[in-house]
Amino acid sequence: MTFELPEQPEARRLLAAALAEGPAHAYLLHGPPGVGKRAAARSFAAALLGDERRVEAGTHPDLFLLEALGEMIRIDEVRALHRDLHMRPFEAERRVYVIADAHLLNEDAADALLKDLEEPPQYAVIVLVADQLGPLPPTIRSRCQHVPFRRIPERAVREFLAERAPGLSETEARALARVAGGRLDRAERLLDPEVRARRDELLRVARAPYAEPELDPADAAALLLEAARAAGEAAKDRAEAELEGVELTTRDLEQRLRRVQRGAEREELLAALEELASWYRDLVVVAAGAERAAVHADRIDELREDATRERALDAERAAEHARSAWRALEEFNLNPTLALEALFIELKRSFSRALIV
């Protein structure tokens, strides 16, 4: 079996062992987005069914793929899986059920799925793919073989960027790889000219709390929110093009597009907060003389100018504010506008003693 991402040795070992020794009834592939879980789930399904082409196309009669249409996976969708689960294989020796976005199972759907995990047919292999373990009930987690996925090493992300954009300088590739944070989907997006323009604006906003005394926190928050909306619209347009010709009801299509759009907006905001935190961390790092460890290697001249020893303590405090805002938006259903305005108020306070004049 060949997986697209060789930078997941533990996952590859566990899935290869499952093929060699015979698969268990259920697997849970979990880890951050953008590190190859879905590709690995499809490769695993293809190896189990012996038909890579039709599995990749989603047309194999013994493959059942369940994806969230709206904001969650509901019980009706799991009931459809349950009905299919008791149909014997059409061609292969087994049937494979891939549940993408398993972290979006609502409570009723998770309860319904649990019954199938407790007593699955002998020929069934259920593969759950989840970005987070927390939302999944312990009863479901305990009934699956866990296959963990890690963030991709910086070296591999740089190689990926070099293949996609041979014109990048070594410094640019290193910076984008570090900003991507071990995620190939994020690295791919950073090559988009519009995304790179949004990154330029984001870094201007990152400097604003100490470089622009007249900074209005509401204006700074609005810039991040507008970037998130632009990312959401772009993701929706891509999804709409990909789904052209797919048989979906109008309601299902709208739900799927809405989920893609909201997911992209949320991802853009979280990525922006990560980059804000990394910029302030870089101020500390450069002030300490460790320039090679800076994330924003392509902005080293600006960092040298900004990273005074007097500002380092303020920058450390600012980085923690950005990380706290990330945690709050990631874990709780907060109003992004209010959360971001509050963040920029705190950032202004952090740097109020050492503004550039």
Side-chain angles (χ1 to χ4, degrees):
M1 176 180 62
T2 302
F3 289 109
E4 290 185 15
L5 297 174
E7 302 298 334
Q8 299 289 350
E10 185 176 6
R12 292 185 70 211
R13 177 181 62 79
L14 291 170
L15 294 176
L19 291 176
E21 300 165 8
H25 72 281
Y27 292 87
L28 174 54
L29 281 55
H30 61 89
V35 297
K37 300 188 303 298
R38 288 199 184 203
R42 283 190 177 269
S43 294
F44 186 49
L48 289 170
L49 297 175
D51 190 332
E52 182 176 359
R53 182 183 62 81
R54 284 195 293 170
V55 167
E56 284 299 320
T59 59
H60 196 290
D62 291 317
L63 173 69
F64 187 103
L65 179 61
L66 173 57
E67 295 182 281
L69 289 177
E71 301 298 315
M72 63 185 70
I73 297 176
R74 295 175 170 80
I75 189 169
D76 288 347
E77 296 160 293
V78 175
R79 283 173 176 160
L81 183 150
H82 175 78
R83 289 192 294 271
D84 191 275
L85 192 65
H86 295 282
M87 298 172 63
R88 298 195 66 81
F90 291 98
E91 294 181 9
E93 295 181 359
R94 53 179 62 89
R95 289 179 65 75
V96 180
Y97 298 82
V98 177
I99 304 176
D101 305 311
H103 54 283
L104 297 180
L105 286 159
N106 70 17
E107 187 175 352
D108 291 339
D111 288 343
L113 179 63
L114 179 60
K115 296 174 183 177
D116 290 326
L117 290 173
E118 288 172 336
E119 297 179 358
Q122 198 168 20
Y123 51 77
V125 178
I126 302 173
V127 182
L128 284 72
V129 182
D131 293 345
Q132 308 163 50
L133 284 178
L136 287 169
T139 47
I140 284 183
R141 300 201 301 261
S142 66
R143 284 166 172 78
C144 299
Q145 298 287 327
H146 285 229
V147 182
F149 282 70
R150 314 297 181 192
R151 290 183 181 267
I152 307 297
E154 181 188 324
R155 168 192 53 76
V157 180
R158 286 204 310 270
E159 292 172 358
F160 171 84
L161 289 168
E163 290 177 5
R164 291 289 196 278
L168 283 179
S169 70
E170 183 179 342
T171 299
E172 287 174 320
R174 183 167 69 251
L176 294 185
R178 291 179 179 178
V179 171
R183 291 179 47 176
L184 295 187
D185 62 335
R186 192 175 286 176
E188 181 89 62
R189 286 200 298 276
L190 286 167
L191 295 176
D192 184 321
E194 291 186 9
V195 175
R196 295 182 76 173
R198 290 202 296 268
R199 177 175 177 251
D200 290 341
E201 185 65 10
L202 173 64
L203 294 183
R204 186 193 69 77
V205 173
R207 297 181 75 235
Y210 58 84
E212 300 177 20
E214 71 283 1
L215 171 71
D216 183 336
D219 291 342
L223 285 169
L224 267 63
L225 291 166
E226 181 55 38
R229 281 191 286 271
E233 286 292 336
K236 178 185 175 184
D237 291 344
R238 288 193 301 271
E240 199 163 12
E242 291 169 2
L243 292 170
E244 190 172 344
V246 177
E247 292 186 9
L248 290 171
T249 67
T250 301
R251 178 175 176 273
D252 286 348
L253 177 61
E254 289 175 352
Q255 284 186 330
R256 182 168 292 193
L257 293 177
R258 191 181 306 116
R259 183 175 71 86
V260 167
Q261 183 173 5
R262 288 179 180 173
E265 289 177 359
R266 181 174 181 274
E267 169 62 27
E268 182 75 11
L269 282 178
L270 292 175
L273 290 171
E274 283 185 37
E275 189 152 12
L276 284 177
S278 67
W279 179 265
Y280 301 133
R281 169 205 173 267
D282 279 355
L283 291 177
V284 178
V285 164
V286 173
E291 289 185 1
R292 290 188 61 81
V295 170
H296 300 85
D298 57 338
R299 303 300 181 100
I300 198 65
D301 290 339
E302 287 172 275
L303 287 168
R304 286 171 181 158
E305 179 184 348
D306 295 358
T308 64
R309 290 191 176 276
E310 293 76 17
R311 188 172 290 124
L313 183 60
D314 297 338
E316 192 171 341
R317 188 161 46 244
E320 183 51 41
H321 285 312
R323 286 191 289 265
S324 294
W326 184 95
R327 287 191 294 268
L329 281 177
E330 207 276 337
E331 295 175 12
F332 305 108
N333 188 26
L334 297 182
N335 181 308
T337 301
L338 296 179
L340 290 174
E341 286 185 18
L343 168 64
F344 281 101
I345 290 171
E346 292 299 331
L347 293 177
K348 281 195 72 172
R349 287 174 180 164
S350 295
F351 290 108
S352 59
R353 297 176 303 168
L355 292 170
I356 292 177
V357 295

